[in-house]
Amino acid sequence: MSNTQDTLIEITAIEKWFDRTKVLDKVDFSVARGEVVVLIGPSGSGKTTLLRCINHLESVQGGRILVNGKPIGYRTSNYRLVEDSERNIAIQRRDVGMVFQRFNLFANMTVMRNITIAPRLLLGLSEAEARERAEALLAQVNLSEKAEAYPHELSGGQQQRIAIARALAMTPKVLLFDEPTSALDPEMVGEVLTVMKDLATGGMTMVIVTHEMGFARQVADRVVVMSKGAIIEEGRPDKIFGAPKHPVTRALLNAVMH
């Protein structure tokens, strides 16, 4: 995908090492505005690391990442990329919401405060504005009645829906999901996937790491398959699930869908 107005995420030849292990090997990856991209692949293939590099939770050792046309985590100095200040990185991250496997809610805060704290601190919203936004988002995830509850009083599925509302409160350009249902009991998976399907229908740009292949088939505009730190195959869900070309993709789908 070329770097046009419609490209929201543009990743060029990124490399990532953990000690002597190369976990991302010159990966090229782009996401269009409004696109839903699902990353799949065997464990250890680099999916979560790629996701975390997009909002600079992990730094990279080579290549570049642009979100909305701007580098994230780095600035140019003397024609070289150098790591940016924490303050600037925090500003850049406003465009990139992240929903984690383990919810990461603040245990000592009510649901309402969990959702309103970042918009107040980082976006400068008044308490009334932040609260109004939070109430609308709680209605969107069907949890209006839980505004004054604490995270420990909620089920895993409810906590994850609150985490999605919290990410949306910053009005991000893109939402990143790192296996958002893998820590949930099976009966709670559906309620989270329903919220994500609604977001996809509403045009939210999303990059999702998941093992939920049925969900991927339903919501993805494009499925990207990773193995050993590289993208080995990508395409429309019907192509990837119906006629995978790479033997790793075939083995993966055989393992999870039978």
Side-chain angles (χ1 to χ4, degrees):
M1 224 178 267
S2 62
N3 191 6
T4 68
Q5 271 187 319
D6 292 322
T7 302
L8 187 59
I9 298 170
E10 182 95 24
I11 292 175
T12 309
I14 63 163
E15 296 184 57
K16 173 68 183 172
W17 297 76
F18 289 129
D19 296 323
R20 295 182 180 181
T21 304
K22 191 178 236 186
V23 288
L24 293 175
D25 187 7
K26 288 191 162 57
V27 172
D28 292 320
F29 176 72
S30 60
V31 180
R33 210 172 297 276
E35 189 178 24
V36 178
V37 178
V38 172
L39 299 175
I40 65 172
S43 292
S45 58
K47 308 179 299 292
T48 291
T49 303
L50 175 59
L51 207 66
R52 290 172 65 85
C53 287
I54 292 172
N55 70 346
H56 202 65
L57 289 174
E58 297 286 355
S59 57
V60 297
Q61 278 81 50
R64 69 171 191 169
I65 300 172
L66 299 179
V67 177
N68 216 22
K70 302 186 188 85
I72 189 156
Y74 300 91
R75 59 185 171 79
T76 304
S77 176
N78 295 328
Y79 304 102
R80 290 176 62 244
L81 282 182
V82 294
E83 194 148 16
D84 215 334
S85 67
E86 279 300 319
R87 183 175 176 276
N88 284 345
I89 292 169
I91 291 167
Q92 292 162 351
R93 282 198 187 117
R94 292 176 189 173
D95 285 344
V96 186
M98 181 110 178
V99 178
F100 298 89
Q101 194 172 332
R102 292 274 170 192
F103 327 134
N104 287 18
L105 297 174
F106 299 116
N108 62 334
M109 295 182 188
T110 64
V111 162
M112 179 58 71
R113 187 142 165 72
N114 261 284
I115 297 172
T116 57
I117 186 168
R120 291 198 64 199
L121 291 176
L122 297 174
L123 301 182
L125 267 61
S126 69
E127 186 167 355
E129 289 168 329
R131 194 172 183 93
E132 184 180 350
R133 181 176 294 185
E135 285 168 353
L137 289 167
L138 283 171
Q140 188 175 332
V141 299
N142 297 313
L143 286 172
S144 294
E145 74 284 2
K146 299 294 184 183
E148 299 309 319
Y150 285 86
H152 72 269
E153 299 171 314
L154 306 175
S155 70
Q158 289 171 334
Q159 288 189 60
Q160 193 59 293
R161 284 187 280 157
I162 297 302
I164 293 170
R166 182 178 66 175
L168 288 168
M170 293 295 290
T171 58
K173 301 279 194 309
V174 59
L175 271 185
L176 311 177
F177 291 86
D178 184 16
E179 298 192 23
T181 59
S182 63
L184 301 179
D185 293 332
E187 66 271 17
M188 295 171 189
V189 169
E191 63 194 51
V192 173
L193 295 184
T194 296
V195 170
M196 293 172 68
K197 285 176 192 169
D198 289 345
L199 289 171
T201 304
M204 171 60 73
T205 310
M206 299 195 282
V207 184
I208 305 164
V209 172
T210 186
H211 290 107
E212 301 283 343
M213 298 300 173
F215 169 73
R217 198 167 196 155
Q218 281 182 308
V219 304
D221 296 305
R222 183 161 47 106
V223 176
V224 173
V225 189
M226 294 189 70
S227 177
K228 297 180 180 174
I231 291 171
I232 57 169
E233 185 168 4
E234 61 182 298
R236 293 199 332 255
D238 57 334
K239 298 284 188 202
I240 297 296
F241 292 109
K245 293 176 182 173
H246 200 288
V248 170
T249 311
R250 290 198 292 269
L252 175 73
L253 296 178
N254 280 335
V256 297
M257 299 184 88
H258 292 99

